[in-house]
Amino acid sequence: MKVRILAYQLAQYLKDQGVEIVFGLCGHTNIAFLDAMQEVGIRFITSRHEQVAAHMADGYARVKGKPAVLLTHLGPGLTNAATGVANAALDSIPMVVIAGDVPSHYFGRHPHQEVNLHLDADQFEIYRPFCKRIWRVERPSEFPRVIERAFHTAQTGRSGAVLVDVPMDVFSADLPDGAFKILSPQKVNEAAISEETAHQIAKSLVEAKSPVIHVGGGVLLGRASAELTELVDWLAVPVTHTLMGKGAISDTHPFNAGMTGFWGVPIANDLAKSSDLIFAAGTRFGETDSSSWDDRFTFKIPPTRLIHLDIDINEIGRNYPTELGAVGDVKSSFAKILIEVKKLLPQPRQNPAMQEKIRSGRLNFSNRWAEQRVSPQFPLNPARILADLRTALPENGMIVTDVGWNKNGVGQQFPINIPGTFITPGGLATMGFGPAAVLGVKLAAPDRKVVALVGDGAFSSNMSVMATAAESNIGVTWVVMDNKAFGTIALLEKSHYDTFYGTVFTRDGEPYDIEYAQVAKACGIEGIKVESAVDLLPILRSAIESGKPTLVHVPMENIPTPTPGYWNINDIYRKGH
């Protein structure tokens, strides 16, 4: 019987499954697999920190719609990656993490970098709180079944991250040639809701006096934007969305009322609060999207009735009592609901009064910032940065944000008209996501213009992303909104405690600023510092069109994002002695 080393069979298996890129970092436990990937022609994108690699894989998977593969070393390699993997997990992003581990015959002897405080070689337990499933492969013969299960689990039902922990001797073990070829991830048709449930939902929507469809990131993950739009067009009802649901329906659509919650749009909050029926799909009703579940501001459930559709049964009824919970795939479920709607409504409805209400509501809110969007002030007003970037970025261009003004401002004030062109961290809201994830997004969409809009606090946390872009020739643009602070938190602390202690960057009592453009040049990429408001738009256009990795450093005034909704943290802080 012919045998072949496991690592080389695994690499061929991944290639046969369509894996083109693996993200990660080297270590003595995984170099056998690195050689195998080189032999079969899988591209390995290495970073200088595992969290960066995890965020890159996360961004790649969001665009591709299939599991990304992350390779890490044991111990500190796996723990460094944990934040990035958890971010993907909490946003339901499919990811297969392959981690090297200590040799199986040394379990418990505390070989180099072993984690064994509670169990011999128990590093894989670190990932248990956020991974859908974790495996440790102790026998080489198990590996083909485990890797098939890993890809299957990562992408079925509510997608997420999984971990395959591999003792380094297993990579070098012999297996019968062809051992991996007998198993491929099973094709699964996600279950739609029943015709009876679809009819119930359709009937409720048709008969309601003031229904609202509320959508989250699950609609985008389910690639259900076309079905959602057709349903809205037929019913002529308003749509609101979460931060993660932005782009599920075009911002130009006449029934798109905008984002709800703390950083939302007033008309969206008002319509949701006054609705007699909410049909929610692909959302977990997160705290900031729901104004801390305070019924004075966004959702008033009850008396508003709630129908909730989600792929994950655990989300049904978690935060609001549900009149009807429907578990199923949003894309096929929307299609079934539309069929039933058309039976009840043979012709599409017209609702010009609601269109005008939404149009005027959104316009009135937008006009509050009309002067700021063209303000010549310097450092720049953040609304001016968003407006100029929207002008410079093609409609099908991808914008990746971090956390802070960039994320909240884009969700609220930056039109997105093509589904999937807005990428942001939601569940874990990880600072440092944007600068790294943008690289994975560009690798997944090489023909698109791709921009990261990030704060200086996030960007300075790991500037090695520029070296990675230079090495791998990844043509992204970073726009660094620099307010010399962890801006959102600094303003929060100032408003409650009248201090900026620990939240702003200072040196000898004076504001401290990194010359990011100079750091970019030192990394071998383009770096430009904006010196006046009028220079911003041409600089952005040039950087985006260049197709080269470029950093644009934009000094910015630190002012709060408008907050039409509510977040009860502001009621918790107490100043005292």
Side-chain angles (χ1 to χ4, degrees):
M1 179 178 61
K2 184 179 179 182
V3 296
R4 193 164 169 236
I5 295 173
L6 185 147
Y8 296 86
Q9 294 198 62
L10 172 61
Q12 186 62 55
Y13 176 84
L14 295 184
K15 187 171 184 179
D16 291 344
Q17 297 304 319
V19 175
E20 299 172 339
I21 298 174
V22 169
F23 301 88
L25 213 68
C26 63
H28 70 262
T29 59
N30 64 27
I31 57 174
F33 188 52
L34 293 181
D35 185 63
M37 287 193 292
Q38 178 178 243
E39 182 174 286
V40 303
I42 292 176
R43 187 179 182 188
F44 182 60
I45 302 291
T46 183
S47 66
R48 284 164 166 76
H49 194 280
E50 289 86 356
Q51 183 178 339
V52 169
H55 289 321
M56 290 169 66
D58 184 342
Y60 183 86
R62 290 179 196 238
V63 177
K64 284 289 190 181
K66 64 181 185 179
V69 179
L70 174 69
L71 178 68
T72 80
H73 179 50
L74 65 74
L78 195 61
T79 56
N80 280 346
T83 299
V85 177
N87 188 90
L90 269 64
D91 282 351
S92 305
I93 306 304
M95 183 183 296
V96 175
V97 183
I98 300 174
D101 204 342
V102 299
S104 60
H105 48 276
Y106 284 157
F107 284 177
R109 297 186 67 184
H110 211 161
H112 187 51
Q113 298 179 312
E114 182 188 33
V115 178
N116 68 351
L117 297 177
H118 302 286
L119 177 73
D120 293 349
D122 66 347
Q123 69 166 15
F124 62 99
E125 294 287 352
I126 297 167
Y127 275 44
R128 187 175 293 279
F130 49 83
C131 277
K132 288 185 70 177
R133 182 73 159 80
I134 56 176
W135 291 268
R136 182 168 71 186
V137 184
E138 298 187 20
R139 293 186 296 274
S141 60
E142 296 177 346
F143 212 135
R145 179 191 62 82
V146 166
I147 198 67
E148 179 272 325
R149 288 289 86 193
F151 276 89
H152 171 84
T153 303
Q155 61 191 314
T156 53
R158 181 174 182 168
S159 54
V162 300
L163 170 66
V164 180
D165 189 75
V166 189
M168 62 177 294
D169 55 308
V170 171
F171 276 131
S172 296
D174 287 332
L175 271 186
D177 193 19
F180 282 81
K181 292 183 178 179
I182 61 172
L183 292 170
S184 292
Q186 303 300 300
K187 300 290 183 183
V188 175
N189 292 322
E190 298 288 4
I193 56 176
S194 67
E195 289 183 10
E196 180 183 355
T197 301
H199 179 76
Q200 285 182 271
I201 295 172
K203 188 172 184 292
S204 295
L205 284 167
V206 169
E207 293 179 352
K209 293 180 179 179
S210 54
V212 167
I213 297 177
H214 181 63
V215 297
V219 174
L220 289 164
L221 290 173
R223 304 304 201 252
S225 292
E227 290 78 8
L228 168 66
T229 302
E230 190 175 359
L231 181 62
V232 172
D233 286 341
W234 202 273
L235 286 166
V237 297
V239 180
T240 60
H241 62 79
T242 67
L243 173 72
M244 299 301 288
K246 185 175 178 66
I249 189 167
S250 170
D251 269 312
T252 62
H253 195 284
F255 287 106
N256 184 350
M259 186 169 73
T260 62
F262 184 57
W263 291 293
V265 177
I267 185 64
N269 282 332
D270 291 345
L271 287 170
K273 186 172 59 175
S274 62
S275 170
D276 67 338
L277 175 72
I278 299 285
F279 172 41
T283 175
R284 58 186 178 88
F285 284 103
E287 183 186 7
T288 56
D289 295 315
S290 306
S291 291
S292 292
W293 309 293
D294 188 311
D295 63 14
R296 295 173 296 168
F297 296 93
T298 300
F299 299 108
K300 197 170 185 178
I301 305 170
T304 301
R305 298 155 53 212
L306 173 62
I307 296 174
H308 194 176
L309 167 66
D310 201 273
I311 194 69
D312 184 356
I313 194 171
N314 295 304
E315 295 300 342
I316 306 297
R318 180 198 291 272
N319 288 317
Y320 287 111
T322 305
E323 177 179 285
L324 174 60
V327 179
D329 167 65
V330 289
K331 186 179 182 73
S332 53
S333 296
F334 279 163
K336 279 194 169 185
I337 293 166
L338 182 61
I339 290 171
E340 297 302 315
V341 165
K342 288 180 176 180
K343 291 177 183 178
L344 299 168
L345 284 177
Q347 297 296 323
R349 273 182 174 165
Q350 303 298 315
N351 196 347
M354 180 56 70
Q355 287 188 29
E356 176 55 26
K357 185 175 184 178
I358 292 171
R359 187 199 68 81
S360 61
R362 295 200 69 164
L363 183 62
N364 288 341
F365 182 65
S366 177
N367 283 344
R368 296 185 196 178
W369 328 116
E371 291 185 8
Q372 287 92 327
R373 286 195 292 272
V374 294
S375 170
Q377 75 170 63
F378 190 84
L380 278 87
N381 185 288
R384 172 73 185 259
I385 299 173
L386 264 62
D388 282 5
L389 180 56
R390 180 67 281 180
T391 300
L393 184 66
E395 189 173 57
N396 72 343
M398 313 282 287
I399 181 165
V400 183
T401 70
D402 205 81
V403 295
W405 226 109
N406 47 89
K407 170 175 70 74
N408 306 327
V410 168
Q412 184 185 77
Q413 301 176 28
F414 192 97
I416 296 291
N417 298 323
I418 297 178
T421 54
F422 171 49
I423 307 290
T424 195
L428 202 61
T430 304
M431 189 168 66
F433 169 86
V438 70
L439 300 176
V441 169
K442 179 63 177 179
L443 288 165
D447 297 330
R448 300 278 192 95
K449 302 298 184 183
V450 182
V451 172
L453 184 66
V454 300
D456 56 314
F459 192 77
S460 60
S461 67
N462 201 322
M463 291 188 281
S464 71
V465 293
M466 294 184 289
T468 299
E471 283 184 304
S472 298
N473 194 28
I474 306 172
V476 302
T477 301
W478 291 278
V479 179
V480 179
M481 303 169 75
D482 181 9
N483 52 26
K484 303 180 181 64
F486 297 115
T488 299
I489 307 304
L491 293 173
L492 193 64
E493 184 187 30
K494 180 66 175 176
S495 67
H496 290 281
Y497 298 99
D498 196 28
T499 181
F500 288 123
Y501 187 72
T503 59
V504 299
F505 306 134
T506 61
R507 182 180 186 183
D508 298 327
E510 297 297 324
Y512 174 67
D513 196 17
I514 296 172
E515 290 296 335
Y516 295 102
Q518 297 302 315
V519 178
K521 291 174 182 176
C523 290
I525 68 171
E526 294 294 324
I528 308 162
K529 186 173 184 179
V530 174
E531 302 289 351
S532 69
V534 71
D535 291 336
L536 178 61
L537 182 57
I539 287 173
L540 289 174
R541 281 177 166 154
S542 176
I544 292 169
E545 287 301 317
S546 74
K548 299 177 181 178
T550 304
L551 179 136
V552 179
H553 180 181
V554 189
M556 181 189 88
E557 178 189 13
N558 191 21
I559 57 175
T561 314
T563 52
Y566 172 72
W567 194 5
N568 81 337
I569 62 169
N570 289 302
D571 297 335
I572 294 173
Y573 298 118
R574 297 177 63 205
K575 183 175 174 63
H577 301 284

